Amino acid sequence: MTDKSIQYDRIRHMVSESGLSHIAFIMDGNGRWATGRGLPREAGHKSGAENFKKVVRMCGDVGIDTVTVYAFSTENWKRPLAEVNAIMRLLDSFVRDAERENEENKIRFVFLGDKSALAPELSRKCTDLENLTANNRRLLNIALNYGGRAELVQAFDKLIAAGKTSATEEDISGAIYTAHCGDPDLIVRTAGEYRLSNFLLWQSAYSEFFFTDTLWPDYSADDLEAAVKSFAGRRRRYGAVL
Ligand code: IPE
Ligand code: IPE
Ligand code: MG
């Protein structure tokens, strides 16, 4: 056995013992990764996009069935146009590759967020990928033009349009972008920031959190192991006495 497979076995064991089935990543630090190397921020996004694929594969290999990533927020439009365009191009090529690699990877893709603000071509490709992969078992949610507050607003609008004059928690959970899956067990944020930045506001009510200084393009199996190990040592009480 290689060191890598021994490590993966170790992580897999902790994943199954702790019941970790849904992990979410706030993939932060691409810009700092690049500027620290004297490179343009776009180079950090490219490296981050490559690492994103590796981390998703890694999560599958250690038995985590659902991964959610924060790729682009409703606030990220405030960035310089050239940077936004570079991120959109990377997303476009990610979606194209994902379609081509479907037979091999067997992942179900769901985009969380408002697609209508994306370029029509990208928006269509995202919907096509969702349809193509709808029957795959493992799930990857990509939060794209996503904001937790915007998500709740569209959920309330949807409920009102359906004739509701009051709502239950179940109604809201059923009207948000993640209606097809459970809440994240663990939310990891990279790059040393300690905030949600408008990510999964409703869904994170009882999520565990893990913060690391590692910049997203550097996120590795060692980082995943540290997060899973920490999660495995938590006691989730959900308000009760345990
Ligand atoms: C995360 O990296 C990627 C996106 C928000 C799209 P950043 O680009 O925020 O990297 P930093 O925080 O500037 O280092
Ligand atoms: C959050 O990171 C959004 C994504 C990772 C896509 P930001 O870099 O946009 O967050 P702030 O601005 O530091 O809060
Ligand atoms: Mg950032």
Side-chain angles (χ1 to χ4, degrees):
M1 290 234 296
T2 62
D3 285 354
K4 184 179 150 186
S5 65
I6 292 168
Q7 180 178 39
Y8 278 30
D9 274 353
R10 206 161 54 223
I11 305 175
R12 197 176 302 113
H13 181 72
M14 289 190 285
V15 164
S16 88
E17 288 291 298
S18 64
L20 172 55
S21 71
H22 184 173
I23 192 167
F25 293 100
I26 301 176
M27 309 187 288
D28 199 12
N30 292 348
R32 277 163 279 177
W33 183 92
T35 50
R37 285 169 170 70
L39 298 170
R41 292 176 57 85
E42 287 75 8
H45 294 307
K46 183 164 191 286
S47 181
E50 281 158 15
N51 202 40
F52 159 47
K53 284 190 167 191
K54 274 194 209 147
V55 175
V56 169
R57 205 172 309 127
M58 212 190 294
C59 289
D61 288 347
V62 300
I64 303 172
D65 285 338
T66 300
V67 178
T68 299
V69 294
Y70 203 3
F72 193 86
S73 75
T74 46
E75 288 74 44
N76 287 146
W77 298 106
K78 294 176 193 163
R79 296 185 178 207
L81 186 62
E83 178 171 346
V84 170
N85 285 342
I87 295 170
M88 291 300 154
R89 273 197 302 277
L90 287 164
L91 283 162
D92 198 274
S93 69
F94 174 84
V95 170
R96 200 164 6 105
D97 291 352
E99 191 176 334
R100 215 182 34 229
E101 292 161 9
N102 179 40
E103 282 310 309
E104 187 185 326
N105 292 340
K106 288 279 171 228
I107 295 173
R108 175 184 177 197
F109 290 84
V110 176
F111 291 88
L112 317 179
D114 177 11
K115 289 195 198 89
S116 72
L118 305 175
E121 177 81 347
L122 175 59
S123 168
R124 192 183 47 75
K125 279 188 201 163
C126 290
T127 305
D128 288 349
L129 184 64
E130 289 177 325
N131 292 336
L132 175 75
T133 63
N135 295 320
N136 293 341
R137 190 185 64 85
R138 281 184 56 213
L139 174 64
L140 174 57
N141 295 311
I142 301 179
L144 172 55
N145 190 26
Y146 173 89
R149 289 185 173 182
E151 172 179 46
L152 289 172
V153 170
Q154 71 78 39
F156 302 148
D157 280 347
K158 212 190 272 180
L159 294 172
I160 292 165
K164 292 252 177 207
T165 51
S166 69
T168 62
E169 292 191 8
E170 287 69 31
D171 288 333
I172 294 169
S173 291
I176 55 178
Y177 297 128
T178 52
H180 58 286
C181 67
D183 294 338
D185 298 303
L186 174 63
I187 298 178
V188 173
R189 182 164 188 155
T190 58
E193 308 295 349
Y194 303 94
R195 55 176 170 264
L196 274 176
S197 300
N198 206 8
F199 188 50
L200 303 182
L201 299 182
W202 177 268
Q203 300 88 334
S204 61
Y206 272 103
S207 300
E208 298 294 327
F209 289 88
F210 188 84
F211 299 97
T212 173
D213 287 339
T214 301
L215 303 175
W216 177 256
D218 294 326
Y219 197 85
S220 67
D222 287 352
D223 292 296
L224 183 65
E225 180 169 8
V228 171
K229 190 170 177 197
S230 173
F231 177 82
R234 311 272 177 99
R235 294 193 64 192
R236 304 180 79 186
R237 283 185 286 276
Y238 299 98
V241 179
L242 293 178

